[in-house]
């Protein structure tokens, strides 16, 4: 009945309905206008995401989503020498996988708004402390992710968005300054410190402040596309006449 | 593809995806298992909700929701002499409207779990202060809602749930002790004060703490019904072999 926005990604999407999460914020902002569908898969990289593509976005779908956010890379960028090596996907393959995901969605509907989101920066010190808190002395000395490598993935995400002419939300990583993405970096990035309140103590996931950055940026894109002007699905209560409530409903739908 | 839980109610449902909201918490807990569909209509009473019934729950639906929460009454209980008089619905009609909603959903599917939620208590002092903050000296001296009247609606909600043999979540209102519902009041209710941290400064809507009470109680009911045992929609990343990822996906779905 309502248009759908689908959030496709890894744990940063899966956890986006936690308190202060960016997905829930998007759902709240468009409540009574759009349904937000959560399709986040913790630990997934783009290689594994491809297995889901035809299931999550069947080509025979009668009503394709009005928008899809694609938010991968945090796991693709896991280092081959670290504890997340199973998740590693080479950066060129990451870019091509993203391209396949975008093209599949565009095959569903040319009108679907696709928003590519770069992986967030890594707080390496936080990541190290997190590993120690989990594994004590057995914690690996080698990092599982670095800001520099994740930055290279973010860069390719930006490059792809530019090649495909997509609207895009970019919020990472300041530590490695993205020359290529410099001009399209939004102002809030300029205050994005390396060890930042935007990143959870595990150095990878987002705090409520980090979530707010994502939701504000995504909503800005959606509003530019006119989503805030979408109609409410039923009359607002101020439009309902207490004596003749059926009037307001007859205007928008057949009364029961 | 995934089973759906539908949240049907007034503003306390519509706002349940705000930071700390009970709806988002339910969506987070069952992420990758169930889709939570938000159908909250700010300001609505049960009389107006009936106009939506066939639209939100079409009888021809191929896949009825596995569960529906029905959370009305806060507006039905608005006083005839107050600023919310347009929203007022007599308590007997409220109960019969709720009965029609439940029966309609049960006609969809006998297997749908229906959870009736009573309206929360009213903080009359908070409500008065809120009116003053909005309208200054022009604020009405008559209350728009009282805890006693809302309590009577909560009582009828409990009575109906008992008549229909429904699982139920009850969290209100302690100020007027519900004799009839006493035995089924959960322990957390015993610490539910009249002017409480569970109620927003407007005296009507829920704080994050109040939201947590609702989500915990609703999730308890869902888990008793086995929802936590529902399968993940795709393999967890720990089950995926990095060398042969297709294996895990072939077990659950045809690979692309």
């Amino acid at each position: 009945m309502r248009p759908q926005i689908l959030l496709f990604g890894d744990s940063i999407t899966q956890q986006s309905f936690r308190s202060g999460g960016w997905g829930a914020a998007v759902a709240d902002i468009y409540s009574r206008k759009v349904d937000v569908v959560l399709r986040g898969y913790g630990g997934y990289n783009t290689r594994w995401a491809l297995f889901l593509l035809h299931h999550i976005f069947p080509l025979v779908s009668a009503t394709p989503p009005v928008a899809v956010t694609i938010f991968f890379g945090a796991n693709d960028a896991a280092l081959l020498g670290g504890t997340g090596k199973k998740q590693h996907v080479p950066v060129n393959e990451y870019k091509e996988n993203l391209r396949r995901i975008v093209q599949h969605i565009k095959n569903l509907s040319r009108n679907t708004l696709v928003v590519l989101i770069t992986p967030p920066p890594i707080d390496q010190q936080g990541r190290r402390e997190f590993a120690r808190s989990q594994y004590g002395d057995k914690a690996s000395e080698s990092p599982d992710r670095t800001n520099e490598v994740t930055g290279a993935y973010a860069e390719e995400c930006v490059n792809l968005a530019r090649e495909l002419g997509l609207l895009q939300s970019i919020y990472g990583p300041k530590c490695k300054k993205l020359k290529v993405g410099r001009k399209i970096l939004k102002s809030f990035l300029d205050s994005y410190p390396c060890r930042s309140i935007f990143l959870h103590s595990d150095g990878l996931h987002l705090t409520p402040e980090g979530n707010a950055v994502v939701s504000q940026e995504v909503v800005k894109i959606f509003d530019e596309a006119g989503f805030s002007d979408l109609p409410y699905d039923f009359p607002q209560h101020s439009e309902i006449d207490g004596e003749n409530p059926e009037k307001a409903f007859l205007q928008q739908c057949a009364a029961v």
Side-chain angles (χ1 to χ4, degrees), chain A:
Chain A
M1 200 158 60
R2 287 191 200 167
Q4 289 188 333
I5 294 173
L6 197 144
L7 314 182
F8 189 37
D10 54 31
S11 58
I12 303 171
T13 296
Q14 185 180 331
Q15 297 175 9
S16 71
F17 278 61
R18 294 192 177 169
S19 186
W22 68 273
V26 172
D28 180 55
I29 285 169
Y30 300 109
S31 72
R32 299 194 51 189
K33 297 183 170 189
V34 174
D35 281 331
V36 173
V37 180
L38 184 59
R39 288 293 179 271
Y41 297 87
Y44 272 53
N45 55 32
T46 53
R47 191 186 286 165
W48 303 343
L50 290 179
F51 287 99
L52 311 184
L53 215 44
H54 281 266
H55 299 276
I56 295 180
F57 306 99
L59 288 175
V60 292
S61 168
T63 49
V66 290
V68 178
T69 59
I70 303 172
F71 196 168
F72 285 101
N75 298 314
D76 299 63
L79 302 181
L80 269 175
T83 52
K85 65 183 172 190
K86 174 176 106 166
Q87 296 163 296
H88 172 80
V89 170
V91 66
N92 288 339
E93 184 188 335
Y94 162 73
K95 184 181 177 184
E96 293 314 307
N97 290 344
L98 277 186
R99 190 193 303 274
R100 282 182 63 186
I101 294 171
V102 174
Q103 284 174 339
H104 179 88
I105 295 166
K106 286 293 184 186
N107 284 342
L108 271 184
S109 161
R110 303 304 303 171
N111 297 327
T112 295
L113 175 66
V114 175
V115 179
L116 274 176
I117 307 179
T118 65
I122 300 296
D123 172 9
Q124 291 178 225
Q125 190 184 332
R127 205 79 201 119
R128 207 157 36 232
E129 287 163 14
F130 175 71
R132 289 239 175 98
S133 74
Q134 295 288 301
Y135 308 106
D137 289 344
K138 290 181 186 159
S140 168
E141 281 303 306
S142 327
D144 68 340
R145 289 161 173 83
T146 67
N147 202 55
E148 192 184 351
V149 169
T150 297
Y153 284 70
E155 197 160 339
E156 285 310 318
C157 181
V158 174
N159 287 341
L160 179 69
R162 184 175 295 132
E163 284 172 34
L164 297 176
L166 292 176
L167 284 174
Q168 55 208 279
S169 172
I170 296 140
Y171 70 104
K174 176 74 185 305
C175 305
K176 177 175 189 290
K177 293 197 182 183
L178 284 177
K179 279 178 199 153
V180 67
R182 210 69 201 122
K183 286 184 188 163
I184 40 175
L185 287 177
K186 302 292 190 298
S187 59
F188 71 89
L189 290 180
D190 297 331
S191 60
Y192 209 109
C194 198
R195 183 177 175 80
S196 115
I197 60 161
F198 298 117
L199 287 176
H200 192 263
S201 63
D202 71 1
L204 177 62
H205 295 100
L206 300 172
T207 57
E209 290 82 359
N211 272 287
V213 171
V214 179
S215 61
Q216 284 160 16
E217 198 63 12
V218 168
V219 164
K220 205 187 294 175
I221 292 171
F222 287 166
D223 281 352
E224 279 169 12
F227 286 14
S228 57
D229 300 327
L230 288 170
Y232 285 89
D233 62 347
F234 289 107
Q236 289 196 265
H237 75 94
S238 57
E239 297 163 5
I240 300 172
D241 177 351
E243 300 299 317
N244 297 295
E246 62 281 3
K247 263 195 204 168
F249 291 96
L250 278 167
Q251 284 173 357
Q252 285 198 28
C253 53
V256 290

